Amino acid sequence: MYDFIRTDEQRAMVEELKRLLPAFKQREPELSKLHSVPTENIKDLIHTNYHTLTVPEEFGGQGKGLYDFILAQETIAGGSGATALSIGWHGGALLEWSELRHWKEDAFSWLLPKIADGALINTAATEKGAGSPTRGALPRTTAAEKEGHWVINGEKSFTSLAPLIDYFLVTATIAGTENVATFIVPGTAEGVSIKETWDSVGMRGTASHDLVMQEVIVQKNHLLKEHAAFKRAASPGWLLHIPACYIGIAGAAREEAVSFAAGYVPASLGEPIGNLPTIQQQIGEIDIELTSARQILYHAALAYEEAADKEGVKDLLQSAKVTITNSAISIVDKAMRIVGPSGMSASSPMQRFYNDVRMGIHNPPMEDMVKASLGSGAIKSHQDRDV
């Protein structure tokens, strides 16, 4: 299957990551257990300096852009979807900063050397009952100025890789205002705790627990960015790590289905079911859908990197996420049908693919928002032409 690798350097990166996949796959059953964390997988990735992939070279990183990031994320997801999605938030946040340089200098000058030394970050923005931040919800978490520092109080949900995160990038409303800012909150700070609430049957290994902050003291200069002062200059291309993860899972499901079909010999047939034209046609349908989705993914990544006007590819990025995640679900469903009822066995990787891939519809951008945006844009554009 076409690999979409464009340079020798990219090939070396992918081959290095592929060497980790057998161990990732062997550990996958453990990540299906309640309160599991992909600790060893993350350690392996840090050992390859993957945590610095999207950090600019001047700050001790590899300085890679979106296309390399997507190649890497799809590769990792082929071995462990939960690991890929988890580490993707770290790399994505750094890629966004690398492109926009929208963090305050005092804060990022303090944070970047720690990341270069192996520290992990993740943005903590979502709150239960408050609505999605992508839909404009104001954080209930608050930050109050007190005696030359900030005091943070609140709870965040869906905080991926929470037990392993060294520095949380916490969104909070400035007390007494409606202004929102992001603060660096060390995971070891007094008053910080992890509430193990994540019991999803899909992507369980992301350890997306609740982050609890009670009277957490944060240094004055650890205010990372003020949202009112930050006007996004480009579409968030880094969010393509989400569909890259799910299409990586779909590719792994395809491999499992092909392996099963090539080797499973029912007594009534006397030969592998893969020799049947109907099974071969089903695999062909999977390959067409998988190849098409991957073309969309890598075209979107390349278009973003080459675009002078990043905002001009916003619709392309958003529609790519929706199309690819839906294709990934469809591919895994087709693969599951080939494997049959044994695919729902707890010992089968197919049931993990089946559950994990469905989580993609809950990651941003949300499908209903994308469709509404595209639809309203189409109507407005037509109406404007008629004026």
Side-chain angles (χ1 to χ4, degrees), residues 246-247 249-251 253-254 282 285-290 293 322-338 350 353-354 357-358 361:
Y246 291 108
I247 207 64
I249 293 171
R254 180 261 187 197
Q282 290 176 56
E285 290 173 357
I286 287 174
D287 281 358
I288 289 171
E289 194 164 7
L290 181 58
V322 172
T323 300
I324 295 163
T325 50
N326 284 335
S327 291
I329 291 171
S330 173
I331 290 163
V332 175
D333 185 71
K334 289 182 173 69
M336 178 68 86
R337 292 171 187 270
I338 291 172
M350 283 302 303
F353 302 146
Y354 191 81
V357 79
R358 277 155 175 75
I361 61 176

Side-chain angles (χ1 to χ4, degrees), residues 88-109:
W89 301 113
H90 168 94
L94 290 166
L95 179 58
E96 181 181 55
W97 174 77
S98 177
E99 293 177 347
L100 302 180
R101 305 299 174 107
H102 56 313
W103 294 349
K104 291 182 178 291
E105 185 173 358
D106 283 353
F108 78 70
S109 295

Side-chain angles (χ1 to χ4, degrees), residues 166-204:
D166 297 288
Y167 300 100
F168 296 96
L169 310 186
V170 175
T171 57
T173 302
I174 306 298
T177 76
E178 291 191 354
N179 298 326
V180 178
T182 296
F183 299 83
I184 303 170
V185 176
T188 56
E190 186 175 353
V192 172
S193 61
I194 305 301
K195 189 187 298 182
E196 293 186 329
T197 54
W198 185 246
D199 62 353
S200 171
V201 296
M203 287 292 184
R204 180 168 286 177

Side-chain angles (χ1 to χ4, degrees), residues 308-321:
D309 174 19
K310 304 296 187 188
E311 188 63 24
V313 296
K314 178 180 179 181
D315 289 350
L316 178 63
L317 295 174
Q318 293 188 338
S319 61
K321 187 270 177 176

Side-chain angles (χ1 to χ4, degrees), residues 216-331:
V216 177
I217 295 176
V218 171
Q219 295 181 33
K220 184 72 172 179
N221 62 355
H222 284 190
L223 191 160
L224 194 63
K225 67 177 180 180
E226 297 173 86
H227 293 211
F230 167 49
K231 304 298 182 184
R232 181 177 291 281
S235 296
W238 66 273
L239 285 176
L240 282 181
H241 86 89
I242 295 169
C245 172
Y246 291 108
I247 207 64
I249 293 171
R254 180 261 187 197
E255 291 300 311
E256 182 68 19
V258 170
S259 176
F260 179 86
Y264 178 58
V265 182
S268 59
L269 187 61
E271 61 178 330
I273 63 169
N275 292 349
L276 296 174
T278 53
I279 297 296
Q280 292 175 3
Q281 181 166 337
Q282 290 176 56
I283 294 171
E285 290 173 357
I286 287 174
D287 281 358
I288 289 171
E289 194 164 7
L290 181 58
T291 300
S292 298
R294 296 181 73 236
Q295 286 183 52
I296 293 170
L297 175 66
Y298 288 102
H299 170 69
L302 190 61
Y304 178 84
E305 286 197 332
E306 295 181 344
D309 174 19
K310 304 296 187 188
E311 188 63 24
V313 296
K314 178 180 179 181
D315 289 350
L316 178 63
L317 295 174
Q318 293 188 338
S319 61
K321 187 270 177 176
V322 172
T323 300
I324 295 163
T325 50
N326 284 335
S327 291
I329 291 171
S330 173
I331 290 163

Side-chain angles (χ1 to χ4, degrees), residues 46 51 54-55 85-95 97 103 110-112 114-116 118-124 159-162 164-170 184-185 224:
I46 290 176
H51 60 291
T54 56
V55 175
L85 190 63
S86 298
I87 198 70
W89 301 113
H90 168 94
L94 290 166
L95 179 58
W97 174 77
W103 294 349
W110 180 87
L111 182 61
L112 265 293
K114 297 184 181 302
I115 293 172
L120 295 177
I121 64 171
N122 191 8
T123 300
T159 312
S160 294
L161 216 60
L164 301 183
I165 297 300
D166 297 288
Y167 300 100
F168 296 96
L169 310 186
V170 175
I184 303 170
V185 176
L224 194 63

